[in-house]
Amino acid sequence: MHILVIEDNSDLAANLGDYLADKGHVVDFAGDGITGLNLALREPFDVIVLDLTLPGMDGLQVCKRLRAESHRHTPVLMLTARDQLQDKLEGFKHGADDYLVKPFDLPELVARLVALLRRARG
């Protein structure tokens, strides 16, 4: 699986990258919303892991613009500390396919990414 992780916390991004790479996945990173959006529009990723609180452009706007500007529907999993129902509803309203609250277990994240990819491929 080719995964884009858009996360400004470098420790968390590195931890995710190491774990996903150990599972055989290829991982690219962006540390801010603008870079993440540009990468997502340019490259054919299988899935995107997207934080909500990002410098430059927040995750909601990244997801909204990705849905409006991309010619493909890349599944997006929002990964965030925002755990209120309204936050989750906003995420889905802006185009997220799944929503996982921090802290989380890495095996659950991978299971959700695999499920997103499976649904996307039909």
Side-chain angles (χ1 to χ4, degrees):
M1 198 172 0
H2 190 192
I3 303 165
L4 174 60
V5 175
I6 307 173
E7 169 64 60
D8 64 327
N9 180 319
S10 58
D11 291 337
L12 176 57
N15 190 29
L16 281 172
D18 290 344
Y19 186 82
L20 292 167
D22 286 348
K23 298 294 181 192
H25 306 293
V26 176
V27 185
D28 287 335
F29 300 94
D32 65 82
I34 295 168
T35 303
L37 177 62
N38 288 332
L39 277 171
L41 290 172
R42 193 174 60 234
E43 300 289 329
F45 293 98
D46 294 313
V47 293
I48 297 170
V49 177
L50 176 61
D51 187 17
L52 286 184
T53 306
L54 295 166
M57 178 187 304
D58 74 20
L60 293 174
Q61 290 306 308
V62 170
C63 195
K64 183 178 180 179
R65 288 195 48 194
L66 177 65
R67 296 299 182 228
E69 298 174 25
S70 180
H71 295 36
R72 56 189 172 269
H73 184 89
T74 305
V76 173
L77 182 143
M78 288 192 171
L79 183 65
T80 179
R82 296 184 195 173
D83 63 354
Q84 298 299 304
L85 175 60
Q86 189 58 38
D87 297 320
K88 295 174 186 179
L89 295 175
E90 282 297 308
F92 289 119
K93 177 181 164 186
H94 283 79
D97 297 287
D98 199 358
Y99 195 103
L100 185 59
V101 176
K102 298 174 187 174
F104 59 94
D105 292 315
L106 289 167
E108 180 181 4
L109 173 74
V110 172
R112 287 172 180 259
L113 294 176
V114 169
L116 286 171
L117 182 60
R118 184 176 56 243
R119 283 193 298 267
R121 290 185 174 167

